Amino acid sequence: FALDHQRSGVPGFINTAQDLFGNSRSSVAFDLPTTIHELVQRLSTGSPHTVHSFINAHTMLPLYRPFLPIERVEIITRRMVEGVSAKSLHYLAGLAASRIPVLKFLRYCPLCLRDDERAYGEYYWHRSHQIAGVTLCFRHHSELIESAVAVGEMRSRQSFVPLSPDLVSAVRVMRDISHLDDYRRLANDAYWLLNLHKTEKAVDLQELQRRYL
């Protein structure tokens, strides 16, 4: 969304929201956005995305799905497709009661920045870098660095902030390596959960819940 806003040259965030979602008041929360049906309808001709493939590929719902009752997942999905406030979705997903500290700033991996610039000529936010409680990049196992973009801004209806050089800081080393293997395992497991929908093998949800809850 942020790159689309930057490239479009549209002067205001409200105008970009109108273009993308057909509603200038749509919630564009980075984790559980809404009005996805309207967004998918506006994608370019030939886009492979359906509302469900978009939710699986670009939101945090796949991370939460295995730990929620099926009925609640269906409600959240329906509301993401239609359009409600992001705050109500966070309550439904149990995030308001979570003991894991929420992110204060969007994060990035310095090595992913390097790879993205080489591959695409620009930076972009990675979904796997924005998981609360995960401190390492699953791919490089380097520390995730806080940017200058407050998460509260990204929960606003009117913020589309692309990742750019002026938002990043110098590379830092891991501050605490005493549990580095645990950090790596957590990063890998979180990425696996985000992409669980891609697996062709049946997954035992009860075992999954026993392992992580």
Side-chain angles (χ1 to χ4, degrees):
F1 302 158
L3 286 174
D4 181 84
H5 173 72
Q6 183 182 55
R7 291 166 179 161
S8 69
V10 173
F13 299 127
I14 291 178
N15 295 325
T16 297
Q18 180 69 43
D19 290 344
L20 290 174
F21 302 98
N23 185 345
S24 62
R25 298 178 61 83
S26 293
S27 170
V28 291
F30 78 94
D31 51 353
L32 297 174
T34 65
T35 326
I36 291 177
H37 172 74
E38 295 296 330
L39 173 66
V40 169
Q41 292 289 95
R42 286 168 167 74
L43 294 178
S44 60
T45 303
S47 169
H49 275 307
T50 64
V51 290
H52 294 291
S53 68
F54 186 91
I55 287 173
N56 284 331
H58 298 291
T59 78
M60 290 295 189
L61 184 58
L63 182 69
Y64 312 138
R65 185 186 291 132
F67 310 105
L68 296 172
I70 294 176
E71 296 79 8
R72 197 181 309 173
V73 171
E74 292 174 347
I75 293 172
I76 293 172
T77 301
R78 185 165 60 251
R79 294 188 178 184
M80 289 177 71
V81 170
E82 298 167 354
V84 296
S85 72
K87 185 175 181 180
S88 68
L89 293 179
H90 293 143
Y91 277 103
L92 281 171
L95 301 180
S98 175
R99 290 177 291 179
I100 300 174
V102 298
L103 296 184
K104 294 182 179 180
F105 297 90
L106 292 186
R107 301 179 302 177
Y108 63 92
C109 162
L111 297 179
C112 283
L113 292 185
R114 177 202 64 189
D115 293 347
D116 293 344
E117 188 169 33
R118 290 175 178 174
Y120 312 112
E122 59 190 0
Y123 304 151
Y124 67 94
W125 300 110
H126 288 247
R127 176 176 60 159
S128 61
H129 296 165
Q130 318 309 328
I131 302 173
V134 175
T135 59
L136 298 182
C137 170
F138 85 95
R139 178 172 285 111
H140 300 106
H141 292 158
S142 58
E143 184 183 13
L144 296 175
I145 310 299
E146 288 184 342
S147 72
V149 180
V151 167
E153 295 176 23
M154 299 301 287
R155 291 190 189 279
S156 166
R157 291 191 180 95
Q158 301 177 355
S159 291
F160 299 93
V161 186
L163 182 56
S164 58
D166 60 313
L167 296 177
V168 305
S169 58
V171 176
R172 294 179 294 165
V173 298
M174 276 293 296
R175 291 164 289 185
D176 178 7
I177 62 173
S178 59
H179 300 289
L180 186 55
D181 286 343
D182 292 337
Y183 292 150
R184 287 172 174 167
R185 188 178 304 110
L186 181 60
N188 291 338
D189 287 353
Y191 182 78
W192 178 76
L193 285 170
L194 272 180
N195 294 277
L196 190 59
H197 61 279
K198 296 180 181 179
T199 183
E200 296 180 358
K201 296 174 61 177
V203 176
D204 186 337
L205 292 183
Q206 289 186 340
E207 170 59 23
L208 199 61
Q209 293 170 357
R210 184 199 64 77
R211 178 178 178 183
Y212 290 102
L213 294 180

